[in-house]
Amino acid sequence: MEPRLVGPGPYRATRLWNEIIELFRSGMPLRKHRCRFKSYERCFKASEAVDWLHELLGCNQNFGPEVTRSQTVKLLKKFLKNHVIEDIKGRWGKEDFQDDGHLYRFPPSSPLKPYPKKPSCTKEVIKFPDWNEPMSGASQEHILVKSVTMNSEMWYKRHSIAIGEVPAGKFMYRRELTQANIEEIWKSMTLTRLQKTLGLDSLEEVLDTKLVNAKHIVQNVYSVNKQGIVILEDKSKELPHWILSAMKCLANWPSCSDLKQPTYSGFERDVFKTIADYFGQMKEPLLTFHLFDVFVSVLGLLQKHSKVIEALQISCLLLPPENRKKLQLLVRMMARISFNKDLPPLSESVTTRTLMVQAFSRCILCSKDEIDLDELLAAKLVSFLMDNYQEILNIPSSLKASVEEHVVHLQRVQIKYPGADTDATFPAPSFCHQISTDEFESQRANGSQEPLVALLEEIAMNKEISVKDKKKKLKQFQKSYPEVYRVRFPTPEAEAVLFPEKNKQKPPILMWALKKPFQPFHRTRSFRM
């Protein structure tokens, strides 16, 4: 069984877990071993399992060569806890796995993780400003108008004012959007863009959209300082001053302005341990438990650099502001430490970059479920964050421009023409939801015919083209789309209404108009000279 790239989508962590188990069970070499004067068939040593699985994970494009041996040991601990493997006496669960010569084997059945039941796809209703609700004390100049699709006849009526066929309309003003309206628009368009970037049919299986706080998105976008760091309204949620000082000390080493006391040998390691201990005691990771599946899905896009950058930018907007600020400060410190050649080594066994990933990956991303591959996935995500943090933790400019343009459109002055109580506006974005096959076929048929019907109506009702050109266009349309044409003109009489015949009578012959009346031939007499 060859390893394959598991792309973004629902239950990606579960799919990766099951794939690694299947690869491990099918590829791990099994042979006869002796232990305490007794032979055991089809088993393997713990160290052999670590060697083989570590090589497998390093060659797997879902994880990569950054997987360490210690992470592989932790994964095998989870395998033993969840009965993916057992010792030669059949014990598992409470036993501890060590990188040694202890013997293990596979149980008879394959304990693959079951996929969660697919939730019913229900469309979430996002509340937008209700244009139909009457405004108290609204004057005639502030009438709210409905939002519908403009057909060809309405288009002609609206634009015919340019040639003087319709009198000028009256200016109408929309209701001013409240802060709550703007927040809901941000939420809707942000989730829609995230769904499109991830290439998913629905976000329901990777994210509970009801837990997304619209206020957090708006604050993360607009309440920032010159460096792009979030400004918190509640100062009690800020990082403690002593932690900020420690982070600045290592990030700016050796030129640290906050450092007033003399240092000693190993001082930088103690400072780093203080920072790691503070972030390691958090009850929930910075990327929050309910966003775990979203960020795991984003990891499936790592082959497409621009896509994963955009997806991470949008996903990080969903974080609580205090989490986003801590993430910004922490990842920036990690990147600076990793590339600081003047900073003494913080560990004797691993490189500074590897130490950063090992120390902080779990406080950035982890799952509630202990059988997930959260440590391997978090290490891959944190490595990518460190390399691209300046882009990822910025505001997605295209999304911001789209939302602001939509808000401006809703607040724009409208024109109401006599006899028209509708207005053509952009439809508010909504979430995709699953529909039945019959409904899909019906929508596809209707959706493709509606523009054709509008086009045919526009040709038929256009008074600016000549009769000859109109007949020519109608004949071309009938040849290309006979069914649509037949619905509009079921009989020749229906088509003839467009071209009323004119009474053509031949005028009588006016005899008096002839220069000379008809005369018979008369032979003339010739004269001889």
Side-chain angles (χ1 to χ4, degrees):
M1 180 179 180
E2 294 294 331
R4 62 183 184 277
L5 178 64
V6 179
Y11 319 123
R12 184 173 185 269
T14 303
R15 287 183 286 149
L16 288 171
W17 170 267
N18 289 341
E19 180 184 271
I20 293 301
I21 290 178
E22 291 177 350
L23 292 172
F24 185 44
R25 285 178 61 93
S26 62
M28 178 64 201
L30 304 177
R31 59 188 181 87
K32 184 177 181 180
H33 287 84
R34 290 183 60 87
C35 179
R36 296 181 180 179
F37 308 105
K38 188 175 181 180
S39 298
Y40 296 93
E41 300 287 343
R42 298 182 58 79
C43 58
F44 52 85
K45 291 182 180 180
S47 58
E48 294 173 346
V50 175
D51 293 337
W52 193 90
L53 186 58
H54 184 225
E55 182 179 357
L56 171 68
L57 295 173
C59 298
N60 192 309
Q61 51 187 336
N62 294 297
F63 303 100
E66 294 185 351
V67 177
T68 63
R69 188 175 181 87
S70 61
Q71 291 174 332
T72 307
V73 173
K74 291 180 180 179
L75 178 58
L76 285 166
K77 288 178 182 289
K78 293 186 177 183
F79 281 179
L80 181 59
K81 182 178 180 180
N82 294 279
H83 206 192
V84 177
I85 59 176
E86 62 184 18
D87 69 5
I88 54 175
K89 295 183 180 179
R91 295 174 298 189
W92 60 277
K94 297 182 180 180
E95 303 297 319
D96 188 23
F97 184 93
Q98 299 293 335
D99 188 0
D100 54 20
H102 199 81
L103 297 181
Y104 292 91
R105 66 189 181 190
F106 292 117
S109 59
S110 176
L112 297 181
K113 184 179 178 182
Y115 293 97
K117 293 183 178 180
K118 188 175 181 179
S120 58
C121 294
T122 57
K123 185 176 181 180
E124 181 182 355
V125 179
I126 300 297
K127 294 183 179 180
F128 283 90
D130 188 0
W131 308 117
N132 295 320
E133 182 182 351
M135 183 185 299
S136 58
S139 62
Q140 187 68 16
E141 288 76 14
H142 293 75
I143 300 176
L144 302 178
V145 290
K146 299 179 182 179
S147 172
V148 296
T149 304
M150 181 181 289
N151 56 27
S152 60
E153 184 178 356
M154 182 62 68
W155 183 94
Y156 182 79
K157 181 183 294 185
R158 295 293 176 86
H159 291 269
S160 60
I161 187 174
I163 57 176
E165 296 184 12
V166 178
K170 182 184 296 184
F171 283 100
M172 317 301 293
Y173 295 88
R174 291 189 181 276
R175 176 184 296 186
E176 183 178 356
L177 295 178
T178 64
Q179 182 65 21
N181 297 146
I182 296 176
E183 290 171 355
E184 290 304 318
I185 292 173
W186 262 103
K187 175 180 177 179
S188 176
M189 296 188 69
T190 301
L191 294 179
T192 302
R193 180 67 66 88
L194 177 62
Q195 176 181 323
K196 180 180 178 180
T197 305
L198 293 177
L200 303 179
D201 296 331
S202 173
L203 287 177
E204 296 296 327
E205 294 173 340
V206 298
L207 175 65
D208 186 354
T209 55
K210 296 179 181 179
L211 298 179
V212 177
N213 193 323
K215 294 181 180 294
H216 292 169
I217 301 176
V218 175
Q219 185 175 351
N220 288 334
V221 172
Y222 294 106
S223 298
V224 295
N225 59 18
K226 294 181 179 180
Q227 290 75 33
I229 306 297
V230 180
I231 300 175
L232 301 183
E233 298 176 356
D234 187 358
K235 300 303 179 182
S236 64
K237 296 181 179 179
E238 295 275 5
L239 284 172
H241 176 72
W242 55 275
I243 285 293
L244 284 174
S245 299
M247 295 173 68
K248 290 179 181 179
C249 176
L250 291 185
N252 301 317
W253 188 276
S255 58
C256 181
S257 59
D258 291 346
L259 189 61
K260 298 180 181 180
Q261 67 276 12
T263 61
Y264 53 86
S265 178
F267 173 79
E268 65 282 349
R269 295 190 181 187
D270 290 343
V271 174
F272 176 77
K273 186 177 184 302
T274 301
I275 300 172
D277 290 343
Y278 174 81
F279 283 97
Q281 65 183 2
M282 294 191 307
K283 296 181 179 179
E284 187 176 17
L286 295 177
L287 299 184
T288 68
F289 287 133
H290 83 275
L291 292 175
F292 175 78
D293 290 327
V294 173
F295 285 99
V296 170
S297 294
V298 172
L299 285 174
L301 297 171
L302 284 182
Q303 304 296 327
K304 305 174 182 178
H305 184 83
S306 59
K307 281 286 186 181
V308 71
I309 292 291
E310 182 181 4
L312 287 174
Q313 283 181 337
I314 300 172
S315 301
C316 289
L317 288 182
L318 308 181
L319 296 173
E322 58 270 19
N323 287 41
R324 180 178 172 86
K325 182 171 185 177
K326 291 177 182 177
L327 180 68
Q328 290 174 317
L329 297 175
L330 177 60
V331 175
R332 186 172 65 173
M333 181 205 73
M334 294 167 60
R336 289 186 177 182
I337 291 177
S338 299
F339 295 107
N340 190 351
K341 298 180 180 180
D342 296 329
L343 183 67
L346 299 177
S347 175
E348 297 178 357
S349 57
V350 295
T351 62
T352 302
R353 178 184 175 87
T354 302
L355 179 64
M356 294 297 108
V357 175
Q358 291 179 353
F360 298 110
S361 60
R362 189 164 182 81
C363 74
I364 293 177
L365 179 71
C366 69
S367 170
K368 281 186 176 180
D369 194 346
E370 286 296 327
I371 71 172
D372 275 321
L373 303 171
D374 50 3
E375 293 196 16
L376 301 179
L377 298 173
K380 196 171 185 67
L381 178 64
V382 170
S383 297
F384 191 84
L385 280 173
M386 290 171 57
D387 295 335
N388 305 275
Y389 75 96
Q390 292 181 335
E391 293 181 85
I392 293 172
L393 297 177
N394 280 339
I395 308 300
S397 56
S398 60
L399 173 63
K400 184 179 179 181
S402 299
V403 176
E404 291 177 347
E405 181 181 353
H406 184 71
V407 171
V408 169
H409 173 77
L410 294 178
Q411 296 174 328
R412 187 175 299 145
V413 175
Q414 305 295 315
I415 301 178
K416 182 176 167 66
Y417 294 92
D421 60 348
T422 58
D423 178 40
T425 60
F426 297 117
S430 59
F431 297 123
C432 295
H433 65 287
Q434 189 174 6
I435 60 176
S436 62
T437 305
D438 296 337
E439 187 177 355
F440 169 75
E441 295 296 336
S442 175
Q443 290 184 6
R444 183 173 65 174
N446 296 334
S448 60
Q449 289 187 359
E450 287 178 1
L452 295 176
V453 173
L455 176 61
L456 178 59
E457 191 68 22
E458 184 176 354
I459 297 174
M461 302 305 296
N462 195 339
K463 299 179 181 179
E464 296 182 359
I465 61 176
S466 63
V467 175
K468 182 179 179 180
D469 291 340
K470 182 179 292 189
K471 288 183 177 181
K472 182 178 179 181
K473 291 180 180 295
L474 289 175
K475 184 175 293 186
Q476 291 176 348
F477 192 98
Q478 182 182 16
K479 184 178 180 181
S480 302
Y481 310 102
E483 295 182 358
V484 179
Y485 190 87
R486 193 180 303 114
V487 173
R488 177 63 177 85
F489 302 107
T491 61
E493 290 76 11
E495 182 180 359
V497 174
L498 299 177
F499 311 104
E501 296 184 358
K502 297 181 179 180
N503 294 327
K504 297 182 179 180
Q505 297 181 355
K506 294 182 179 181
I509 300 177
L510 301 178
M511 300 301 295
W512 56 266
L514 298 175
K515 293 183 179 180
K516 293 182 179 181
F518 176 76
Q519 295 180 355
F521 175 76
H522 295 280
R523 185 174 182 179
T524 60
R525 188 175 179 178
S526 61
F527 296 92
R528 294 182 179 179
M529 299 297 294

